[in-house]
Amino acid sequence: MTTTSNITTQGIRHSFSTTGESLHVLDDIHMDIGQGEFVSLIGPSGSGKTTLLRIIGGLLSQTEGRVSIAGVEPVEAQRRKDIGFVFQDAALLPWRTVEQNVRLPLELNTSSNGRGDAELGRLLAAVGLADFGNYYPHQLSGGMKQRVALARALVFDPSVLLMDEPLGALDELTRSAMRYELLQIWEQSRKTVLFVTHSISEAVLLSDRVIVISPRPGRIVDDVRIELSRPRTKEVERTTKFLDYADRILESLSRETAFVSAATPTGEGD
């Protein structure tokens, strides 16, 4: 880890322009995520969660507002290798082994700090793939492919992990198991994580905080601090406290969706 790993957004607004029209996607997003926090973003489809993640990661420039990671702009944080990305699609190269896929970012960067085979071996062990370094993607399950993608994101030891529905493409049983594997990996490193999900239970289980985003244009409508003890086990999902958090988040989402539905014209008379 190279620097303090805070994420701060100030007044982020974003619009997409197509064929002369403007689509307002994000509106006045203020966030402050502390070092080592695991924070989930949850909201309906089209609410701008992925757009916000891409802006924070420096993959997209906001229309208005400011973003900083450890006090610097996202482009500078990228240059320092302070940001790791994990997306829904593991995007592994099929002709490369697990170890070769994880090594790829090092090969593409001349300033790779000389990470050797022993260090890569430790990284694969951390994500539970110590015995699969010579396997090819077609020989792996969906969950294992996502672990490869996570190892690849960690190869530069970034201070911040941006995760865009990394478990979304998995079947429910695999997804449930991967939540706990992800927790174990995070417990070892305590990276700052911003995690996009559509699953309320997943957000509550993983997070220190859950930030609820409204329908487009996305605004922060709730910021729920999850005060459940760590490490978290499957038993916690059956506790009253867990269910209360889930109910609060569902209520926030439902209230905003109902408000937008009531405010949207039905189209009668068009």
Side-chain angles (χ1 to χ4, degrees):
M1 185 179 299
T2 57
T3 63
T4 306
S5 53
N6 295 35
I7 302 172
T8 302
T9 70
Q10 298 175 323
I12 294 297
R13 290 182 169 87
H14 191 71
S15 299
F16 291 106
S17 296
T18 56
T19 62
E21 297 183 356
S22 183
L23 181 65
H24 192 28
V25 179
L26 293 170
D27 185 47
D28 200 26
I29 301 291
H30 291 264
M31 291 194 307
D32 190 4
I33 299 174
Q35 180 177 0
E37 273 196 297
F38 196 122
V39 176
S40 287
L41 290 176
I42 191 166
S45 296
S47 59
K49 303 181 298 299
T50 293
T51 298
L52 179 58
L53 204 73
R54 290 171 63 85
I55 288 171
I56 291 170
L59 302 178
L60 183 67
S61 296
Q62 64 272 22
T63 304
E64 295 181 35
R66 296 186 60 189
V67 180
S68 67
I69 295 179
V72 301
E73 293 185 353
V75 171
E76 175 63 14
Q78 276 193 33
R79 188 190 67 78
R80 295 180 182 184
K81 307 296 186 296
D82 272 346
I83 307 174
F85 295 93
V86 184
F87 301 105
Q88 183 170 341
D89 184 349
L92 305 181
L93 298 179
W95 58 89
R96 294 178 70 102
T97 65
V98 165
E99 183 176 322
Q100 289 168 345
N101 268 284
V102 174
R103 188 190 295 276
L104 183 60
L106 300 175
E107 295 175 3
L108 296 176
N109 269 274
T110 54
S111 57
S112 60
N113 299 324
R115 288 204 158 204
D117 290 340
E119 200 161 354
L120 281 174
R122 285 193 292 271
L123 184 56
L124 289 176
V127 298
L129 294 172
D131 298 326
F132 295 90
N134 293 323
Y135 281 60
Y136 287 89
H138 74 272
Q139 298 173 301
L140 306 177
S141 67
M144 293 171 75
K145 289 177 184 177
Q146 282 303 92
R147 280 188 262 166
V148 178
L150 179 57
R152 186 176 55 196
L154 292 170
V155 75
F156 285 115
D157 193 24
S159 59
V160 169
L161 273 179
L162 303 178
M163 309 183 79
D164 189 5
E165 295 194 76
L167 311 182
L170 304 178
D171 65 82
E172 188 56 37
L173 287 176
T174 303
R175 182 170 184 162
S176 179
M178 278 295 296
R179 291 169 185 169
Y180 290 96
E181 292 185 23
L182 178 58
L183 275 177
Q184 290 176 354
I185 294 166
W186 177 77
E187 290 281 357
Q188 295 171 22
S189 63
R190 292 292 176 129
K191 306 286 186 188
T192 302
V193 175
L194 187 57
F195 184 94
V196 169
T197 180
H198 281 102
S199 169
I200 294 174
S201 61
E202 187 167 273
V204 174
L205 176 68
L206 294 173
S207 306
D208 297 308
R209 288 161 57 203
V210 178
I211 293 176
V212 182
I213 306 291
S214 72
R216 189 177 67 242
R219 298 171 293 108
I220 294 177
V221 295
D222 206 353
D223 188 340
V224 184
R225 185 164 295 279
I226 308 297
E227 296 181 342
L228 297 171
S229 61
R230 295 186 183 274
R232 293 178 186 166
T233 62
K234 291 183 178 181
E235 286 69 29
V236 75
E237 296 188 63
R238 295 191 288 271
T239 63
T240 300
K241 199 171 185 180
F242 184 98
L243 297 174
D244 286 345
Y245 285 130
D247 284 345
R248 173 177 166 179
I249 294 165
L250 179 59
E251 183 179 348
S252 294
L253 288 168
S254 300
R255 182 173 60 246
E256 288 298 314
T257 302
F259 173 79
V260 170
S261 298
T264 301
T266 62
E268 292 178 4
D270 290 350

